[in-house]
Amino acid sequence: MGSLHLVHIKLLAADLLSLTCRHTSPPSFVRCGRTVARVEIVGVVVSRDRRDKFLRFLVDDGTGCVPCVLWLNHQYLNANRSSGASVSDPTAEMALKMSEMVNLGGLLRVRGRIVLYRGAIQITVRDVVLEKNPNVEVLHWLQCVSMAKECYDPRPPSA
Amino acid sequence: MELPPERGAAPLRLTVADLLRIRRPTTGAASLSSSAASTLAVPPARKKPRHSATPNPAPSPRSTAPFAPISHRVLLAGTLSLPAAGSPLTCRSHCLSLSDPTSAAASVCCYLLDFDAAAVGREVEVLAWNYLPSVHHDGAGVLEVVDWRLAEGRAPGSGFLKTIPLDCAAGPDLATHGHVFGVVRSVSVVFSVPQAAQKSDADRGDNLVGFIAEMMCCACCQCLVTPLKTDEHHKFEVEKFVYFVDSASRWRPVLAQLVGRSISVSGLKKKKISIDKKGSYIMLVSTRKTMLAWCPFYPFDQTLDGSPGNCGGVYTGVVTGIYMQGMVVELDETVWLLIDDQQLAPSHSLRVGAVISVKNSRTISLKFAWTKIVLLGTCNKTSITINSFSLVDSKCYIKAQNKGLLGKFVDSFELHAKFWMLILISCFKQKFTKLFSEKEILGSKNAHGLVHTYSFKVLSSVGSKPQHDFFMKFCNHNCGSPCAGSNMEAFKLVIPFANFTCKAESFWILTMLKIWNGTEEMPEIDKNQGFHTFLCDGVSYTGTTKKIVSSSDMGSVLVGSIKRSSLPGTLQLVDATGCIDVIIPDLPPNVSLDGIYEINDYKVALEGPVAYLDLDDVADPLSCKAAFQQPAYQKRLHHLKIYVILFHLLKLSHIFPTNNTFQHQNMSGATLYAEAVIVPYDLKFTEQADSFRMSCTPSFSNSNVSMAKPCCIPCTLSFRTTNLCGSLVSINSYGPVGTILNDTVGGERDHISRILLEFKDGRLIKYQSLRIGGYYLLECPIESDLISLKGKVENIHSYDCKNKSMVGNEKSGICIHITDDNLMVRLCGYLSKYCYPVGLGPGATVTFHRVLLTLRRELFLTPLTYIEVCCISFAGLNKECVVTPPISDCFKDDSFNRVSPCLLFLNQKHLAENRAIQFQCRVVTIHMLILDNSLNDLQPSDSINRRETINIKVRLAGFIVDDGSSLCCCWADDVRAELLLRLQEVAVLDGPVSLKFSKDGSDVNLQQTAGCFLERMLKKHKRIIARNCGIPPDISCRDLEFSSVLNKVLSGLEEKLLKSIILNACWKGTLNVIASVLNPDTLDGFNLELPDLHPARNMPNLWVSQAFQVDPLEEARRMFGNLENN
């Protein structure tokens, strides 16, 4: 129960970007002695860079800007599979549709894996949700504070 | 076009023939100096358009474009003469003729400013002029002479009298004794009357064309001698009428200009004029030898009688509007001129911007129900002359009318009623132009139209003016009719609904300004809450307020067709300009939707947020100008709710106990009742027009019913499902109105609605004043606590469950978030599950009737609340919304604890105690999914189209959820599983990318919805089981396995749809879940082979009892409170 590596922890950008990085292979990240691998952030898109195989964007939650990358290369990954399986896999189309939700100024909830890219922390996006109620941002801040206080920051029993 | 002459050269001379070749409104002048231009009102030359298609484009003859100036100096010359006998009647009353000296064939009608009778018959040079081509039917135009001079100077000699020639060969017959000398007091228009076949010693022909001049003549000895040679003082005291007939009628334009001046007419004979067979008159009639002369040096007599009520006044003003084909003219934006006869004014020159003088008019101050105006009434003695021409408008407004029954009906009334009729016609045309043909609205020569039928009802009590022939009307004229004393309050504005909305908004804006300036009293509740905000949960919000405007303040009645609104008890009155919501607490079930209805007595309710609103610059929508002008008003205040409330008219039928029973008893604490009959709303008021029915709380406004209020008794009205608190107000109805009501009630006895009135204690004295058979109005409170609320349900969740035991398990506390396009409100309370309608859930448009609005502006459900689901729309759902849990789940009495702060792994204690917990989570992957076919014999496409919801069943689903602290496996079935799966969202998607499928390499875009396709799939396979062999929390389509219970192989398209549904569920936002530990036996009944994969095997397994949308604001407040307390 002490492990947090399977859950998407709710973090503010400042806390995410200040995670301790262990230079394992692949790199792992630690917060207060607990390994974390997945994260959920909420913020406004302030930069967007669409490429053929991915979409890079920056999410600003007021405490910092988190680089995010949404991969759009599923069709290439499926290229080696049988044609029937490829045809029945909607992942690429849905990821493409998800990328269309990422627009400058939009309030997003982003989940994904924490990775290290060129020495900096970024999120490999699993999914994005376009939030239309601005109150979710406040709620996320409070949840981050509350979760950190009651769950993430206390030392694990084994420690 | 020839080149303009060089500067300083003589102006180019124009002949009348040159003028007639001009084909557009043109203005010209002999001098273009700035000073001259200002005095001559010649506008500066306009720039030529840059993209001129043709060198000389022909303008539209009806163009209202201003006059085009000739850029160089021109001098127009011609001979001024009296109008030709064949010229149109309108011009014969006002215009002279200007013709080329050399060719009389080239002539044009002309109207002169600064008229001098000496110019008649002489050559004049026109220094400044406007030319209007194509005014008459024959294409001839009219010349407006702004400035002119005699070509050869004034004629020698300065005699006392100057003759105005008529171009008659015969000279004056000095032997005749018919001679008058006096001041022209009034001049009639040129008119035509049929003459009697016999005893007519008029000239010839069947019709006599002429006009009458009223003169105040001198009866002194000198005046009996002709010709007059001295300007000795005369006393003009004897009234005489001179009938200028036949060719002498050509003098009319001259005499119209000489009103108030002295003239001498000789060669008259006293004759008897027989008009048809109706009557005969003896008067001075012109002969072929009649001579007309005027006294240029005799002082102008200004002794016209301009006292109110008398038609002797003079008014000069600028024309600011011309309406109703020239019958109504607005002067100086303040005074209304009602032109009785189209020939009274020179029609072509009566244009917007012109300055006119109205002589012998009658000034009347009219106070209608909705406005006050000053009306200039014309009669057959009125003359209208032009003082300054308009250069900004070239449109002729006055059109010949072919009067049908309506026109004759209008003409039959006095000025005030006639003016109201013209407003009514204009309003009816605005209101019903799209609903009825013009013939149906205005009628024809043989049939009455809507206007006639309606106005007949209102004007039935107004007497029509006596009809006389022209001679009688002119010679025995009496304008002192008592119209000013008439009851004008009965004349209300039949307001176009766009104007109504605009006026209501103006009321609101004014109220807001008063509130802001501190001059308007706020309701008590607002005072308590502060100025214009109120606090809710510690947060300041903009408050709302309400204003009630009485129909008497509006001064207008509502007439329109009706249609039922989606709100019970609510109708919409509709006309071509808009619609108004009408709240009728107990709308009779038999109300007819046919025909046109009138509402006389009503209240307008205005509700909206208190906000600073700037002064509106919209003209008064209740003004007469707005009624004539047909402005296109649009709703400006979209937050303002405007509706009309109707009250009931009751006829008391029984009283319990009877008066004599309780009179002598101590009735303290007893309940007193009365039974009453609601008088039906429908009143068919005319037998001729079956399709035209009028309805109202019977229209007492135009009767003499007294609205005195000898008693006002608070009571409670019980009627069907309605309970209302109000006051019973008595009405003393007398005379025929009561009879009509009785007849109506008797005629529709089957539809009588009986109600029970309950009176409060301590009102015995007033109670005794009730009398059986009396009519009463039930006035409901304006600040009612029970209101109706309509909006889209944003979310529903349990509320205040600590107190839910108060009604056992029958009721549960819920909180419903309702939104319109702009605002969201919360509606809380306890609702019986039996009152919970099917379809109440996020996305549904719902009307809550009789919800309680407290003084703190909180909304609560009450035992009387009735919920009506108007429509259920999934297509319009926010994608983050999910459908509501079913009622069975909403009202489960399982207790649960909210997990604070949604940390699942810290709540093992709760789980161990088998208590429900609530937490927020997101689906990260799906463990297992079993979909069943729930269709019976319905065709899938039919069902999906009819209900807009998917008809399959989620037999069981296992979701791996993540709350930010741990993962757990949540099991759910039926609609709870549908919520977590977001199945309804997917079902309505039309042709999503996930449904593009290629069998042979080409894309096939499905036309049906995903839900429809899923139904078909399950009808084919009966049951489909999906298993996820992947490791949570990651989700990959490659790990999904699908199987059919019939062992049929799923097609690629079917697999793709299922995968897209699962992926969609795993990539969505946060939900609230109420769950408890899964009983291991629960899944046994499903007879499942569960995938036994790590780490799902080690996760807590929970059974979901509820799932619903998160309210971020509410959650944030709660969490903030927890953080503060800890």
Side-chain angles (χ1 to χ4, degrees):
Chain A
M1 270 298 183
S3 173
L4 292 171
H5 72 282
L6 290 179
V7 299
H8 295 86
I9 62 172
K10 298 173 189 288
L11 286 184
L12 298 173
D15 293 333
L16 171 63
L17 299 176
S18 61
L19 287 176
T20 303
C21 178
R22 285 180 183 163
H23 294 281
T24 55
S25 181
S28 59
F29 303 89
V30 177
R31 176 187 169 106
C32 294
R34 296 179 198 277
T35 302
V36 294
R38 294 170 171 85
V39 70
E40 176 177 309
I41 61 169
V42 175
V44 176
V45 180
V46 294
S47 168
R48 186 180 192 275
D49 179 17
R50 173 74 160 85
R51 301 294 176 88
D52 187 32
K53 296 182 181 177
F54 61 85
L55 170 71
R56 282 183 61 86
F57 57 98
L58 277 177
V59 175
D60 184 348
D61 72 350
T63 66
C65 287
V66 181
C68 303
V69 59
L70 173 63
W71 289 98
L72 304 170
N73 58 351
H74 301 82
Q75 68 272 32
Y76 303 108
L77 300 177
N78 287 333
N80 297 328
R81 302 176 63 200
S82 65
S83 61
S86 172
V87 162
S88 64
D89 192 342
T91 310
E93 293 171 16
M94 295 183 71
L96 202 62
K97 196 169 183 180
M98 199 185 293
S99 72
E100 294 169 359
M101 290 193 287
V102 181
N103 293 308
L104 286 179
L107 181 64
L108 292 186
R109 182 183 298 273
V110 180
R111 284 193 300 188
R113 282 180 171 274
I114 309 169
V115 297
L116 205 62
Y117 178 68
R118 293 182 177 173
I121 287 178
Q122 74 171 24
I123 297 176
T124 299
V125 177
R126 166 200 159 101
D127 52 59
V128 294
V129 173
L130 181 63
E131 296 285 3
K132 294 185 178 175
N133 189 331
N135 294 312
V136 300
E137 199 171 10
V138 179
L139 178 60
H140 179 74
W141 296 339
L142 292 166
Q143 285 175 329
C144 289
V145 172
S146 180
M147 297 288 260
K149 184 178 173 184
E150 300 197 26
C151 176
Y152 304 149
D153 290 351
R155 306 299 297 181
S158 57
Chain B
M1 197 72 186
E2 57 198 296
L3 290 173
E6 292 181 6
R7 188 178 181 85
L12 181 69
R13 289 188 73 88
L14 282 184
T15 64
V16 174
D18 295 331
L19 194 72
L20 294 178
R21 283 194 285 270
I22 296 176
R23 287 289 174 265
R24 62 179 300 182
T26 305
T27 180
S31 170
L32 298 182
S33 65
S34 57
S35 59
S38 62
T39 54
L40 299 179
V42 176
R46 292 193 306 174
K47 290 182 180 177
K48 289 184 178 177
R50 273 187 283 179
H51 305 290
S52 179
T54 56
N56 187 19
S60 165
R62 289 186 177 276
S63 167
T64 58
F67 288 74
I70 296 178
S71 57
H72 53 274
R73 296 187 295 152
V74 289
L75 182 64
L76 177 65
T79 303
L80 198 65
S81 57
L82 295 177
S87 59
L89 274 181
T90 52
C91 279
R92 287 185 66 175
S93 294
H94 305 280
C95 293
L96 298 174
S97 174
L98 188 72
S99 55
D100 284 339
T102 54
S103 169
S107 63
V108 63
C109 266
C110 69
Y111 190 95
L112 270 71
L113 299 187
D114 299 324
F115 176 79
D116 185 350
V120 177
R122 302 183 64 188
E123 186 175 351
V124 295
E125 291 178 344
V126 182
L127 303 176
W129 49 269
N130 311 318
Y131 178 65
L132 271 170
S134 305
V135 168
H136 301 299
H137 293 298
D138 57 0
V142 168
L143 178 71
E144 294 178 336
V145 178
V146 179
D147 193 20
W148 59 277
R149 68 186 178 203
L150 290 170
E152 300 168 351
R154 294 201 170 271
S158 56
F160 176 68
L161 291 174
K162 289 186 178 297
T163 304
I164 303 172
L166 192 62
D167 305 330
C168 291
D173 184 1
L174 301 179
T176 57
H177 297 285
H179 168 262
V180 290
F181 175 65
V183 175
V184 180
R185 190 178 179 86
S186 62
V187 182
S188 79
V189 296
V190 175
F191 61 97
S192 169
V193 292
Q195 59 175 323
Q198 70 279 1
K199 295 183 180 179
S200 171
D201 44 6
D203 292 334
R204 59 185 178 276
D206 293 328
N207 287 332
L208 281 176
V209 176
F211 71 94
I212 308 172
E214 178 192 16
M215 296 177 63
M216 297 304 290
C217 298
C218 181
C220 66
C221 299
Q222 288 83 354
C223 291
L224 298 177
V225 180
T226 57
L228 292 171
K229 294 180 180 176
T230 61
D231 57 351
E232 294 176 2
H233 292 292
H234 299 275
K235 291 184 179 178
F236 303 112
E237 295 172 340
V238 180
E239 183 185 57
K240 290 186 177 178
F241 294 94
V242 181
Y243 184 26
F244 292 87
V245 69
D246 201 40
S247 61
S249 67
R250 295 166 60 205
W251 268 314
R252 201 281 176 186
V254 175
L255 280 178
Q257 298 282 355
L258 293 177
V259 171
R261 307 299 297 263
S262 302
I263 62 168
S264 168
V265 188
S266 60
L268 299 172
K269 281 188 176 178
K270 189 174 286 187
K271 290 185 179 179
K272 180 181 179 183
I273 303 297
S274 299
I275 307 303
D276 228 345
K277 294 179 180 177
K278 295 177 181 175
S280 58
Y281 304 91
I282 295 175
M283 59 174 62
L284 292 168
V285 182
S286 66
T287 65
R288 295 175 65 86
K289 297 177 180 177
T290 296
M291 287 294 293
L292 175 66
W294 69 298
C295 310
F297 306 108
Y298 209 85
F300 182 77
D301 184 10
Q302 297 184 344
T303 58
L304 294 175
D305 185 3
S307 59
N310 286 326
C311 53
V314 180
Y315 185 92
T316 301
V318 180
V319 177
T320 49
I322 303 175
Y323 308 102
M324 300 301 289
Q325 298 184 331
M327 284 187 279
V328 180
V329 176
E330 186 192 43
L331 298 174
D332 301 330
E333 295 187 334
T334 51
V335 174
W336 290 93
L337 171 64
L338 180 59
I339 298 180
D340 217 22
D341 188 330
Q342 292 182 1
Q343 296 183 51
L344 286 177
S347 57
H348 41 73
S349 296
L350 189 66
R351 305 192 299 269
V352 174
V355 179
I356 66 171
S357 276
V358 185
K359 296 173 185 171
N360 293 322
S361 63
R362 189 165 38 136
T363 307
I364 308 167
S365 179
L366 293 183
K367 185 182 178 185
F368 291 113
W370 76 97
T371 190
K372 295 177 184 176
I373 64 160
V374 176
L375 182 67
L376 279 183
T378 60
C379 62
N380 48 16
K381 290 191 175 182
T382 302
S383 59
I384 299 173
T385 54
I386 309 294
N387 296 356
S388 172
F389 299 115
S390 169
L391 282 173
V392 296
D393 184 17
S394 58
K395 180 180 178 182
C396 287
Y397 291 87
I398 298 180
K399 296 172 185 171
Q401 284 185 326
N402 191 7
K403 289 187 177 177
L405 291 176
L406 180 62
K408 293 173 183 172
F409 186 64
V410 173
D411 285 343
S412 69
F413 290 102
E414 296 287 353
L415 284 176
H416 60 298
K418 188 172 181 177
F419 188 77
W420 177 82
M421 275 293 297
L422 293 175
I423 293 176
L424 182 74
I425 292 169
S426 177
C427 290
F428 261 68
K429 285 173 72 174
Q430 292 180 56
K431 289 168 70 72
F432 299 112
T433 184
K434 294 176 185 172
L435 305 175
F436 300 98
S437 68
E438 184 161 315
K439 190 176 178 182
E440 287 175 308
I441 299 170
L442 302 180
S444 62
K445 286 189 175 180
N446 304 315
H448 295 311
L450 297 178
V451 179
H452 193 126
T453 310
Y454 178 83
S455 57
F456 184 80
K457 180 179 77 82
V458 178
L459 294 173
S460 57
S461 60
V462 178
S464 57
K465 63 181 180 184
Q467 299 298 311
H468 299 294
D469 60 61
F470 199 91
F471 289 91
M472 177 66 82
K473 281 194 289 186
F474 192 87
C475 300
N476 298 326
H477 183 70
N478 178 19
C479 275
S481 56
C483 65
S486 302
N487 180 15
M488 309 295 288
E489 296 291 335
F491 292 82
K492 296 181 178 177
L493 178 66
V494 181
I495 187 170
F497 294 158
N499 299 41
F500 177 87
T501 304
C502 185
K503 184 64 181 180
E505 289 182 337
S506 297
F507 270 120
W508 183 257
I509 291 171
L510 192 63
T511 305
M512 291 298 105
L513 283 174
K514 286 180 178 175
I515 289 176
W516 224 259
N517 294 334
T519 56
E520 176 89 344
E521 282 290 315
M522 288 286 287
E524 199 61 33
I525 47 177
D526 295 324
K527 283 181 181 174
N528 297 336
Q529 293 288 343
F531 191 56
H532 43 73
T533 60
F534 72 100
L535 294 175
C536 176
D537 291 349
V539 179
S540 175
Y541 291 93
T542 301
T544 60
T545 189
K546 178 188 280 188
K547 181 173 179 62
I548 301 294
V549 182
S550 170
S551 53
S552 59
D553 294 332
M554 296 286 283
S556 55
V557 294
L558 306 176
V559 175
S561 57
I562 61 171
K563 66 176 184 181
R564 281 194 183 275
S565 168
S566 55
L567 301 177
T570 306
L571 292 175
Q572 279 191 320
L573 266 182
V574 182
D575 71 7
T577 68
C579 63
I580 304 172
D581 285 330
V582 182
I583 308 295
I584 304 175
D586 296 302
L587 184 68
N590 59 321
V591 64
S592 168
L593 296 181
D594 299 327
I596 297 174
Y597 287 76
E598 175 194 40
I599 299 176
N600 266 300
D601 192 0
Y602 56 89
K603 304 280 185 187
V604 187
L606 309 173
E607 294 176 3
V610 178
Y612 178 79
L613 297 172
D614 206 350
L615 276 172
D616 61 333
D617 54 356
V618 177
D620 181 10
L622 294 192
S623 68
C624 296
K625 191 182 185 78
F628 286 124
Q629 207 169 25
Q630 306 180 5
Y633 291 113
Q634 289 190 335
K635 190 168 170 51
R636 297 164 289 164
L637 306 178
H638 296 288
H639 295 296
L640 180 64
K641 290 185 174 59
I642 304 169
Y643 55 89
V644 163
I645 309 169
L646 290 188
F647 297 127
H648 298 280
L649 182 72
L650 307 175
K651 183 183 180 184
L652 215 60
S653 55
H654 294 90
I655 298 175
F656 314 106
T658 56
N659 285 352
N660 54 6
T661 302
F662 67 80
Q663 259 177 349
H664 308 292
Q665 296 177 10
N666 179 12
M667 296 295 291
S668 175
T671 306
L672 308 175
Y673 298 97
E675 185 190 64
V677 175
I678 297 180
V679 176
Y681 292 83
D682 290 351
L683 285 179
K684 188 175 172 182
F685 78 95
T686 173
E687 296 178 356
Q688 285 78 16
D690 287 338
S691 63
F692 193 65
R693 294 157 63 102
M694 305 302 301
S695 173
C696 56
T697 54
S699 55
F700 286 144
S701 57
N702 52 7
S703 66
N704 294 320
V705 172
S706 165
M707 294 297 287
K709 299 180 180 178
C711 73
C712 180
I713 311 172
C715 67
T716 303
L717 163 68
S718 304
F719 179 67
R720 294 205 188 100
T721 58
T722 301
N723 287 293
L724 293 173
C725 295
S727 298
L728 207 59
V729 180
S730 68
I731 294 175
N732 296 324
S733 58
Y734 304 102
V737 174
T739 307
I740 292 171
L741 290 177
N742 281 330
D743 290 343
T744 307
V745 171
E748 303 189 10
R749 190 162 294 279
D750 292 340
H751 305 302
I752 286 177
S753 300
R754 295 184 182 278
I755 61 168
L756 190 65
L757 301 170
E758 180 180 346
F759 297 92
K760 295 178 180 177
D761 297 342
R763 304 287 178 181
L764 293 181
I765 295 177
K766 289 184 175 179
Y767 182 70
Q768 292 174 57
S769 66
L770 293 174
R771 63 183 176 89
I772 293 175
Y775 288 96
Y776 298 86
L777 271 179
L778 182 71
E779 291 189 345
C780 302
I782 289 156
E783 296 175 3
S784 173
D785 290 335
L786 293 176
I787 65 168
S788 288
L789 179 71
K790 183 181 181 182
K792 182 180 283 187
V793 175
E794 187 80 15
N795 198 358
I796 301 177
H797 60 85
S798 299
Y799 177 79
D800 193 15
C801 288
K802 292 177 182 174
N803 300 326
K804 70 185 178 64
S805 59
M806 60 180 286
V807 208
N809 292 331
E810 291 296 316
K811 295 188 176 183
S812 289
I814 61 170
C815 178
I816 306 172
H817 296 245
I818 307 149
T819 179
D820 62 4
D821 293 337
N822 303 298
L823 301 172
M824 186 165 77
V825 295
R826 287 190 307 182
L827 178 58
C828 303
Y830 293 91
L831 189 64
S832 165
K833 61 182 178 184
Y834 304 111
C835 299
Y836 200 105
V838 175
L840 176 61
T845 302
V846 181
T847 303
F848 299 87
H849 299 285
R850 299 188 293 277
V851 295
L852 191 68
L853 175 65
T854 68
L855 292 179
R856 293 181 177 275
R857 297 192 179 279
E858 295 168 322
L859 290 165
F860 287 103
L861 298 163
T862 71
L864 298 173
T865 297
Y866 170 68
I867 304 174
E868 182 189 29
V869 179
C870 306
C871 67
I872 305 171
S873 169
F874 293 103
L877 269 180
N878 182 321
K879 290 185 178 177
E880 285 303 300
C881 289
V882 294
V883 292
T884 184
I887 178 61
S888 58
D889 290 347
C890 246
F891 292 92
K892 275 186 175 174
D893 53 1
D894 296 342
S895 60
F896 66 88
N897 288 335
R898 182 185 290 274
V899 180
S900 173
C902 309
L903 300 178
L904 196 59
F905 79 110
L906 290 180
N907 290 273
Q908 296 301 311
K909 182 185 174 186
H910 289 116
L911 294 174
E913 294 173 355
N914 199 21
R915 290 164 59 182
I917 58 171
Q918 178 181 334
F919 57 97
Q920 292 177 26
C921 63
R922 297 178 69 182
V923 174
V924 288
T925 184
I926 288 177
H927 193 47
M928 169 172 258
L929 178 62
I930 304 173
L931 300 177
D932 270 7
N933 169 37
S934 65
L935 291 175
N936 296 320
D937 297 329
L938 291 174
Q939 289 299 315
S941 58
D942 293 342
S943 62
I944 195 74
N945 290 335
R946 189 172 60 249
R947 292 176 290 101
E948 292 187 351
T949 184
I950 191 167
N951 198 356
I952 66 167
K953 184 173 182 177
V954 183
R955 185 167 170 78
L956 183 67
F959 300 91
I960 308 297
V961 300
D962 177 357
D963 75 338
S965 67
S966 63
L967 301 179
C968 73
C969 185
C970 284
W971 295 89
D973 67 346
D974 212 351
V975 287
R976 291 156 297 278
E978 285 186 22
L979 306 179
L980 290 160
L981 201 55
R982 320 257 180 180
L983 198 56
Q984 303 291 1
E985 284 180 49
V986 177
V988 295
L989 295 179
D990 191 15
V993 289
S994 59
L995 293 183
K996 284 185 180 173
F997 177 67
S998 174
K999 280 184 177 177
D1000 52 0
S1002 61
D1003 281 351
V1004 177
N1005 198 358
L1006 291 178
Q1007 296 301 311
Q1008 55 192 186
T1009 62
C1012 182
F1013 188 83
L1014 196 59
E1015 286 186 357
R1016 289 183 184 279
M1017 189 196 309
L1018 285 164
K1019 189 175 184 184
K1020 173 184 170 187
H1021 294 282
K1022 301 297 183 190
R1023 173 181 293 180
I1024 293 174
I1025 301 172
R1027 292 183 178 84
N1028 182 10
C1029 301
I1031 298 175
D1034 296 324
I1035 176 72
S1036 169
C1037 287
R1038 284 171 296 189
D1039 299 324
L1040 295 175
E1041 293 178 355
F1042 302 98
S1043 60
S1044 162
V1045 74
L1046 301 178
N1047 291 322
K1048 292 180 180 177
V1049 177
L1050 270 70
S1051 68
L1053 186 58
E1054 291 169 337
E1055 280 201 14
K1056 186 176 183 180
L1057 176 60
L1058 292 170
K1059 287 174 181 174
S1060 63
I1061 289 172
I1062 292 172
L1063 275 184
N1064 180 67
C1066 298
W1067 290 353
K1068 282 296 180 178
T1070 311
L1071 287 176
N1072 260 321
V1073 166
I1074 299 175
S1076 53
V1077 171
L1078 176 72
N1079 185 341
D1081 299 334
T1082 305
L1083 297 182
D1084 290 347
F1086 291 96
N1087 192 22
L1088 297 173
E1089 185 183 343
L1090 296 174
D1092 188 14
L1093 298 172
H1094 179 80
R1097 182 176 50 195
N1098 298 323
M1099 291 178 191
N1101 282 272
L1102 306 177
W1103 181 256
V1104 176
S1105 58
Q1106 283 190 48
F1108 50 91
Q1109 186 80 1
V1110 174
D1111 182 344
L1113 183 58
E1114 184 185 343
E1115 290 290 340
R1117 283 177 178 157
R1118 186 189 56 75
M1119 188 165 283
F1120 182 74
N1122 289 342
L1123 285 171
E1124 272 197 327
N1125 295 334
N1126 296 329

